[in-house]
Structures are given as structure tokens and as C-alpha cells.
Amino acid sequence: VRAEIDSLVNERASLFNLSSDAGELVTPASSSPVEDSPNRFVITAAGILGGFVLGIVLTFVREMFARSIGSKSALERMVTVPVWTSDEYVSDPWSTAFELLNHAVDGYKGISIVALGADTAVDTVAEDFNRRIESISTVENTEYVPRGASRAATLAAIRTSDAAILVLSVSYSKSSLFSVISLMEQVDANVLGIAFLEKASDFVPSSAGDSSE
């Protein structure tokens, strides 16, 4: 016991002999070099990118909930057949579409031209397409279905033909188009393509019917 007491006394004495400045800092204190201010470039880039993505999303949402077709790109996402539009700044705006149509009707003897919608310009273009198709020697019969024709009349014309071509405009409703396509599928009608009026010039009374003269 005496030895233990002597040991504790010695440890106590050694603690009293420690210097108050026996240790020192390895690295002196200093202010942090890291800047915490916002990075304007990163914020601006993120804002631009976010606005771009939001614009794309809003466009798709608008087209999804829109009642009318609205644009060629929207129509092409709805159907699997070719969509033909007019050319601008040429004397015959539908000439390219007709050349594509001329290739599409190859091998078909009966063709129906179906005009759809409320725009009177649709009838003008559809009649022009009908005249052009009649000039193709391999086509023996054409059936023209004007705007406002009943479903029964449309179906009767389609059934007497090998294939059909639809003519419609941006204002035509999506539900009506799906209804027509469903009707054609029920009688196994082949839709070769859609002539689509979307430009302002398509609705101006013009040379659509005179270009084939």
C-alpha cells in the first residue's frame, strides 16, 4: 500500500511540473479560401435549360389535350401513313405532293378522295387531287367524297375502291380523324396518305384547281 501511495504522489508532482506552453498549433488558424457567393453562370445556364425543357413539355401537353390536330408534326404522331403538305413560293404548291401521290397509287385501280372538315379550301384541294388522279392511266376509277358526306356515303365510296386518300386541315378534330380511320379499318380500306392543309396560303382562294389545267 505504501508503494502505491508513493506512486500517486510522484504522478501528482509530475503534473504540477508541466509547462503551460508545452504544446503549439501545427497549422495556424486562417480564413477559409472557399467562396460561398452564388455562381451566376451556373444559375443562368440552369435557368435557360429549365426554360427550354419546360417549353417542350408544355408543347407536348398542349398538343395532347388539344381537340384539333393543329400541326403536321402532331398529325404524323397520330398516323402511320405519309402526310403531304404544300410547297411555298411556287406556282403549283401541291406538285410535290402529287408526285408522291403518283408513286403511292401505283398498282391500285380504284382510288377514293375523301374531303374532311369544315374548311372550304379542303374541297378545292381534294377536287384538284381527284382531277390529277383521273389523269393517271393506271387508275381506272376514282370516287370523290365531298365535305359533309354521311358516314354511309363515305363508306360506300371507300368500299368500291382499292385505297383512299384523305384531305383535311389543321382545324379537323382528332376524334373525328380517329373515327374515320376506324371506319376504314373495319372494311379493310388502305389509306395511301393524307393531304394536309396547314399553311396560311392553303386557305387562300387560288390556283389549287387551276394548276392542273
Side-chain angles (χ1 to χ4, degrees):
V1 175
R2 182 67 182 178
E4 291 180 0
I5 293 174
D6 291 340
S7 175
L8 291 173
V9 171
N10 291 334
E11 288 182 6
R12 181 172 177 271
S14 64
L15 291 174
F16 278 111
N17 293 330
L18 286 176
S19 174
S20 61
D21 58 351
E24 62 178 353
L25 292 174
V26 177
T27 303
S30 62
S31 61
S32 173
V34 179
E35 296 182 0
D36 58 357
S37 60
N39 190 315
R40 294 183 180 180
F41 175 78
V42 173
I43 294 176
T44 302
I48 294 175
L49 180 61
F52 179 74
V53 173
L54 180 61
I56 294 177
V57 171
L58 290 177
T59 299
F60 277 102
V61 171
R62 183 181 63 181
E63 289 188 353
M64 184 183 301
F65 290 98
R67 296 181 61 185
S68 59
I69 297 172
S71 67
K72 179 184 178 182
S73 59
L75 178 57
E76 288 176 329
R77 286 193 290 270
M78 295 170 56
V79 298
T80 57
V81 299
V83 177
W84 304 311
T85 56
S86 63
D87 298 323
E88 292 184 297
Y89 312 117
V90 294
S91 58
D92 185 0
W94 290 97
S95 58
T96 301
F98 178 67
E99 288 302 323
L100 295 172
L101 169 63
N102 196 10
H103 174 74
V105 299
D106 186 33
Y108 294 96
K109 297 184 180 299
I111 304 294
S112 291
I113 307 295
V114 183
L116 301 170
D119 295 309
T120 56
V122 169
D123 271 336
T124 303
V125 174
E127 290 169 359
D128 182 40
F129 268 66
N130 188 57
R131 283 192 293 270
R132 294 178 191 247
I133 293 175
E134 288 177 341
S135 67
I136 301 175
S137 59
T138 56
V139 178
E140 299 177 357
N141 178 56
T142 61
E143 290 286 344
Y144 173 61
V145 183
R147 289 181 309 110
S150 65
R151 291 169 61 91
T154 302
L155 184 59
I158 293 173
R159 291 182 62 186
T160 61
S161 306
D162 300 323
I165 294 167
L166 308 182
V167 184
L168 51 95
S169 71
V170 291
S171 64
Y172 197 62
S173 71
K174 295 178 181 178
S175 59
S176 297
L177 177 59
F178 285 133
S179 177
V180 171
I181 292 177
S182 175
L183 184 68
M184 293 183 171
E185 289 176 346
Q186 293 179 47
V187 295
D188 296 323
N190 185 20
V191 180
L192 297 181
I194 299 175
F196 187 58
L197 287 71
E198 67 168 348
K199 303 180 181 69
S201 57
D202 295 336
F203 302 93
V204 177
S206 66
S207 54
D210 299 333
S211 59
S212 61
E213 296 297 335

